Amino acid sequence: MSFFDLINPFSYVTPFHADGDAAEESVVVASDAVEAAAVVIEQIEESNADEEETETEEEEEEEEEEEEEEEEAEDKAPLIKEGCGETLACKSLKHHYDECAARVEDGSSESCAEEFLHFMECVDHCAASKIFAQLK
């Protein structure tokens, strides 16, 4: 007996005969099939509900693990760049930038963009290989 046979209770109904017992028997068979189909449907709904709960729990666990991973990840780039800013190669460029910034504070109308860009280029050049070495 297949699942579809359980859903269609009328497939079990025997042809109506002049004999009254056969008609009553076919009604009994049909009602048994309806009851069996109802039981199967309830079981399917329960298993679907269990699967949804399991999927929901698994999704929540995955989200928690992702959040923990995100919290654990620490950006080391600022520390590496700060260290590179103190190297001998970049220190002179920082000095030029600081002198320019002091002149601007005293009222000069110049822009320190060029000095700043040279300093940052030196820092980025120094830090790039160190940052990429830290990647997993």
Side-chain angles (χ1 to χ4, degrees):
M1 177 169 21
S2 73
F3 175 74
F4 295 107
D5 293 335
L6 293 175
I7 292 175
N8 185 3
F10 300 107
S11 63
Y12 294 104
V13 176
T14 57
F16 180 72
H17 298 285
D19 184 13
D21 292 334
E24 289 177 15
E25 183 179 318
S26 64
V27 171
V28 170
V29 170
S31 65
D32 291 342
V34 170
E35 290 174 10
V39 169
V40 170
I41 290 172
E42 287 178 15
Q43 291 173 349
I44 291 172
E45 288 175 350
E46 288 175 4
S47 67
N48 287 343
D50 291 342
E51 288 175 7
E52 288 177 4
E53 289 177 9
T54 305
E55 289 175 2
T56 305
E57 291 173 3
E58 290 174 359
E59 290 174 0
E60 289 175 359
E61 290 174 6
E62 289 176 6
E63 289 176 5
E64 289 175 5
E65 290 175 5
E66 289 176 4
E67 289 175 4
E68 289 175 4
E69 289 175 5
E70 290 174 5
E71 292 173 2
E72 292 174 7
E74 181 180 320
D75 189 13
K76 297 178 183 177
L79 295 175
I80 293 172
K81 287 183 177 183
E82 186 177 321
C84 284
E86 300 299 323
T87 61
L88 185 60
C90 297
K91 208 169 205 177
S92 65
L93 294 171
K94 177 147 173 53
H95 177 70
H96 288 295
Y97 172 70
D98 289 339
E99 285 180 347
C100 180
R103 288 192 301 270
V104 169
E105 286 180 11
D106 290 339
S108 176
S109 62
E110 69 179 307
S111 171
C112 298
E114 184 178 347
E115 288 83 357
F116 178 74
L117 291 175
H118 286 293
F119 172 66
M120 290 309 298
E121 181 181 5
C122 180
V123 169
D124 288 341
H125 180 72
C126 169
S129 60
K130 296 176 183 177
I131 291 172
F132 282 109
Q134 295 288 324
L135 294 176
K136 294 180 182 178

